[in-house]
Amino acid sequence: MSRSGPNALINRYFYQQSLRVRVVLTQLPVTITVALIVGLAAVFHPDALENPLFQIGLWGQVVLLLACALIPWGRLPYPSFLVIPYLDFVAVGFCREGSINSLMGVGLLALFPVFWLAASGVARRIAIIGGTLATLLMVWIPVFLAPGPTTAEQLGRPLILPMMMLAFAITVAVMTASMDAQREQLEEKDSALREALAASHDRERLLDAIVNTVSVGLVAVDADGHDVLMNRKQRLFHQLAAPKDNADPAEADLLIFAADRCTRLAPPERPVARALQGESFSQVLIWAGQGNEARALSVTARPIHGSDGRAGGSVVAFYDVTELVSALTAKDDFVSNISHELRTPLTSILGYLGLALDDRTVLTEEVFQYLKVAERNADRLLTLVADLLSTASRTMAIKPRLTNLAEIIEDSLDSAGPPAAENGVILVNHGRELLYATLDVGRIGQVLDNLISNAIKYSPDGGTVTVRTSTENGSVVCEVQDQGIGMDAEEQSAAFDRFFRAGPALSRAIPGVGLGLLITKTIVENHGGTMHLRSEPGVGTTIGFTIPLQATAEQTTPTGSGRAVPVPR
């Protein structure tokens, strides 16, 4: 008797019952059939009911049904209930023998115990053999007990019934085995699916906990624009951007503004709408809400692709960067204010230096050269102040002209001589050859001043700072190499960021505000060039720029002091 059924109905009404109930239910078909036979016999063959053997068979069925109902099969070894079908063969044998002359086919009641044994799933081969032998004994025992000699013909005449039972038992056993195998596979798949479902629920709960823990607003939308996932932080942003008179606004109704905090973004220009169009973007600044409650959000979106490669929606992340934007605005205001304050004394210094330099009669040549260096550096300091203002306003003027880069390098190295001597740094110039390019003399001088000054500052233990120039593919390449403290990969990636200071510079209290390389990069890019940086901690740094030449030496006549004029053709 299998412990589990092939479908939900049988499982509910049979296999989920107690073993005693299942045994009774299995015995009932043969009992009901015997009762029907009794009814037929009472109508058509009442003489059969008077046969003692038939009566023994009937009482045997009653006793077996009572045994099925009264014996606590669940407390006995599991296969013990199989004694009932074997006793059924005895009862069926008595009924058959008692009605053999009046009722035909009573022996076919053996199908019920044969089916029970073959379908039990317990020792199928023994069940097949046992059922066949029981049927064979059921038809042969009366032959052996009959008076007179037993002949082969007498033994062979009833063999058709045992053979039928053998075929029936084999068929039932094979079908049951196949069904049990399928059931086991289904149970394994069901178990695997339940485990997968439980794991999926665990992952869903974990994902829900994670997305609601992070301080980033997350929303996932499908290809039709419907929200699939929205975490708690994003719901707060959504409420923040909602108009006061609309408790449940649509995406198009939200108060979303551009980075200027004034221009309201049209629905197609909003991050979620752009993401639905398949765009992938990072760090797009928007403002959500109005007034003092408005928040600056940095938005990043990535598309979701299905297994067939088609767009299946997008995930959009909203980072609250209000404090960062406020801090950057405060920095810009500070830089702008301090630059304006510095302009006045620098202008005064340059004015008085100009007056002193105009009266050559009272100045020795040595003092005159000192004042010229002071004037040039004050002028560059004034340019730096202007650049600080331009970094706040994102503007910078470039006035290119044809000039000799070697002379600009010489001027920068001359100015860097005193701090280099103080740090024990040796300055080496490998850029003395004539090298003409169209550039802004003052700006490129500022670039070289920054690079050489940094190389000296970041070589606190001395060493050599080398300046090299070369030409490559119609561009001039200028590099400044030091043997200083160097930078790691993370510091190199942030070297050109505003106000960035490397860790060693901070720990050694090396002066600086972290604007030099940003200004340098801006100047070079405005010349159509690029910056490059190579560094290794403890070994040193090589930093340089590449800008187009845009002219040749034959087209110019040098005039000295970093100036050049075109030669008429």
Side-chain angles (χ1 to χ4, degrees):
M1 184 182 299
S2 299
R3 289 179 179 265
S4 59
N7 55 58
L9 185 63
I10 297 177
N11 185 60
R12 177 180 177 182
Y13 291 104
F14 182 78
Y15 290 105
Q16 289 184 357
Q17 304 297 328
S18 66
L19 182 58
R20 181 185 300 182
V21 173
R22 281 183 282 155
V23 171
V24 171
L25 292 175
T26 308
Q27 179 64 17
L28 273 180
V30 64
T31 305
I32 293 173
T33 305
V34 170
L36 292 174
I37 292 174
V38 171
L40 291 174
V43 176
F44 299 104
H45 301 282
D47 55 319
L49 297 177
E50 298 176 0
N51 190 303
L53 296 178
F54 189 75
Q55 292 177 358
I56 292 174
L58 295 180
W59 283 110
Q61 288 295 325
V62 174
V63 171
L64 289 176
L65 182 61
L66 292 175
C68 291
L70 298 177
I71 296 176
W73 301 105
R75 300 179 184 179
L76 301 177
Y78 177 69
S80 60
F81 61 85
L82 292 180
V83 68
I84 299 297
Y86 283 109
L87 293 176
D88 275 333
F89 284 107
V90 178
V92 170
F94 277 105
C95 288
R96 174 181 177 275
E97 189 63 23
S99 62
I100 195 169
N101 295 323
S102 55
L103 296 173
M104 300 296 296
V106 175
L108 292 177
L109 289 173
L111 287 171
F112 291 103
V114 168
F115 178 84
W116 191 345
L117 291 172
S120 67
V122 178
R124 287 189 173 90
R125 293 183 180 180
I126 297 176
I128 294 172
I129 296 172
T132 304
L133 288 178
T135 307
L136 189 62
L137 291 174
M138 184 183 71
V139 299
W140 270 0
I141 287 177
V143 176
F144 288 124
L145 295 178
T150 301
T151 64
E153 182 182 356
Q154 291 176 325
L155 294 175
R157 189 182 304 147
L159 281 181
I160 188 171
L161 183 61
M163 294 302 103
M164 287 177 57
M165 296 300 111
L166 174 62
F168 181 70
I170 293 174
T171 302
V172 171
V174 171
M175 292 180 61
T176 304
S178 176
M179 292 175 61
D180 286 347
Q182 293 178 8
R183 174 182 53 78
E184 290 176 359
Q185 292 178 357
L186 290 175
E187 287 180 347
E188 290 178 359
K189 291 181 179 179
D190 181 69
S191 177
L193 288 174
R194 290 179 182 275
E195 291 178 0
L197 182 62
S200 176
H201 287 162
D202 290 341
R203 287 193 295 270
E204 183 179 359
R205 286 190 290 269
L206 176 61
L207 176 62
D208 185 67
I210 291 174
V211 298
N212 284 303
T213 300
V214 297
S215 59
V216 177
L218 293 174
V219 58
V221 292
D222 59 19
D224 297 324
H226 300 129
D227 291 343
V228 178
L229 179 148
M230 181 183 292
N231 70 344
R232 181 173 53 197
K233 191 71 173 180
Q234 181 57 23
R235 283 192 288 270
L236 293 176
F237 292 152
H238 196 275
Q239 294 173 2
L240 181 67
K244 293 183 178 180
D245 57 348
N246 191 343
D248 187 19
E251 177 68 23
D253 299 327
L254 295 177
L255 301 176
I256 303 296
F257 299 89
D260 61 4
R261 202 172 177 177
C262 298
T263 306
R264 186 167 179 177
L265 292 177
E269 299 174 348
R270 300 186 178 192
V272 175
R274 291 174 56 188
L276 284 174
Q277 295 172 3
E279 288 191 47
S280 178
F281 51 85
S282 299
Q283 299 180 357
V284 173
L285 183 64
I286 63 170
W287 283 85
Q290 288 180 310
N292 296 330
E293 296 180 353
R295 306 298 292 177
L297 304 177
S298 176
V299 189
T300 298
R302 293 293 182 269
I304 302 173
H305 296 289
S307 57
D308 57 355
R310 296 182 180 179
S314 186
V315 175
V316 188
F318 295 79
Y319 303 83
D320 190 341
V321 293
T322 308
E323 286 73 18
L324 177 61
V325 170
S326 299
L328 291 176
T329 303
K331 281 186 178 181
D332 289 342
D333 292 342
F334 170 77
V335 170
S336 179
N337 292 333
I338 199 67
S339 299
H340 280 296
E341 294 297 327
L342 289 173
R343 263 184 168 180
T344 301
L346 280 174
T347 302
S348 177
I349 291 171
L350 284 170
Y352 280 105
L353 284 173
L355 291 174
L357 290 171
D358 285 342
D359 193 356
R360 293 288 303 271
T361 59
V362 297
L363 299 176
T364 63
E365 183 62 27
E366 185 177 11
V367 172
F368 180 79
Q369 293 300 326
Y370 290 160
L371 292 178
K372 287 293 289 182
V373 172
E375 182 188 41
R376 184 171 65 249
N377 283 279
D379 187 59
R380 285 181 176 172
L381 184 57
L382 184 62
T383 302
L384 176 60
V385 170
D387 289 341
L388 288 174
L389 289 171
S390 68
T391 58
S393 61
R394 307 295 192 269
T395 61
M396 180 177 289
I398 297 295
K399 299 178 181 179
R401 56 177 171 157
L402 194 63
T403 191
N404 181 13
L405 182 60
E407 293 185 4
I408 304 177
I409 295 173
E410 286 285 354
D411 288 343
S412 294
L413 289 173
D414 287 344
S415 299
E422 183 178 347
N423 264 24
V425 173
I426 300 173
L427 301 176
V428 178
N429 185 5
H430 288 169
R432 296 179 182 276
E433 67 276 5
L434 294 178
L435 186 57
Y436 288 91
T438 302
L439 45 81
D440 187 314
V441 177
R443 294 297 187 185
I444 296 301
Q446 184 179 352
V447 167
L448 287 167
D449 285 347
N450 282 335
L451 298 183
I452 295 172
S453 173
N454 281 348
I456 295 171
K457 286 193 299 183
Y458 292 108
S459 300
D461 301 323
T464 301
V465 171
T466 305
V467 181
R468 294 185 179 87
T469 57
S470 62
T471 57
E472 181 180 312
N473 299 325
S475 298
V476 59
V477 180
C478 181
E479 291 185 339
V480 178
Q481 181 181 12
D482 65 57
Q483 298 173 334
I485 56 181
M487 293 183 288
D488 58 28
E490 183 177 356
E491 292 169 338
Q492 292 179 55
S493 65
F496 296 98
D497 292 348
R498 179 184 296 185
F499 300 115
F500 172 77
R501 302 295 312 285
L506 295 174
S507 62
R508 291 173 178 257
I510 296 174
V513 294
L515 283 174
L517 288 182
L518 173 62
I519 295 172
T520 297
K521 183 173 182 286
T522 303
I523 293 172
V524 171
E525 288 178 347
N526 285 343
H527 279 79
T530 57
M531 297 289 299
H532 54 270
L533 171 66
R534 301 185 304 276
S535 187
E536 184 177 346
V539 176
T541 300
T542 299
I543 186 170
F545 58 87
T546 301
I547 56 176
L549 285 168
Q550 297 182 343
T552 61
E554 289 78 13
Q555 294 176 294
T556 61
T557 298
T559 61
S561 301
R563 293 178 167 77
V565 295
V567 177
R569 297 190 177 184

